[in-house]
Amino acid sequence: GVRLGTFLDDQVAQDPMIVRVKDRVEETASHKGGALGHYHYFSLGKGKNDRHMEPLYIIVDPSPEEKQLSSHEGEELVIVVSGEVELAYGKQTYRLTAGDSMYYNSIVPHYLSAVGGVPAEIYAVIYMPF
């Protein structure tokens, strides 16, 4: 049978928490705002107790949909791995490519989209004071 201790060990990640590329699992939502269909979220911190950040690997599909700006307390750090993204931030728009990063206060209305007709890959770390 399954020992309770083993089950509990699987629920709470150890320090340091390491997520191998082959072990990433797609989630349905990132943070309190939920997920839209063109974002594929892979949590890099799920199960780690006592955490204050939400680290994610995200595949962003190009989308012709209307941009829905989101706003929430906290900060976000995004690093572009591949493709090209557009960040709508307040009244400004920025284009970023592989290797570029953006770090911003997420209380300002923002939206991130893939541009150029191909998916983009990003790493994001979201901090939300709980």
Side-chain angles (χ1 to χ4, degrees), residues 29-40:
S30 64
H31 48 283
K32 292 175 184 166
L36 298 173
H38 57 284
Y39 293 113
H40 305 280

Side-chain angles (χ1 to χ4, degrees), residues 21-82:
V21 171
K22 66 180 178 54
D23 297 330
R24 289 182 185 158
V25 177
E26 185 172 350
E27 303 284 336
T28 54
S30 64
H31 48 283
K32 292 175 184 166
L36 298 173
H38 57 284
Y39 293 113
H40 305 280
Y41 295 99
F42 299 81
S43 175
L44 303 177
K46 185 175 182 178
K48 183 177 185 326
N49 59 351
D50 233 13
R51 68 188 158 113
H52 302 283
M53 299 182 295
E54 183 67 60
L56 301 159
Y57 165 73
I58 305 170
I59 299 170
V60 185
D61 290 333
S63 173
E65 297 169 20
E66 184 68 25
K67 293 176 174 64
Q68 296 293 321
L69 297 175
S70 74
S71 173
H72 52 87
E73 285 189 55
E75 303 172 338
E76 295 186 23
L77 168 66
V78 175
I79 301 166
V80 181
V81 177
S82 70

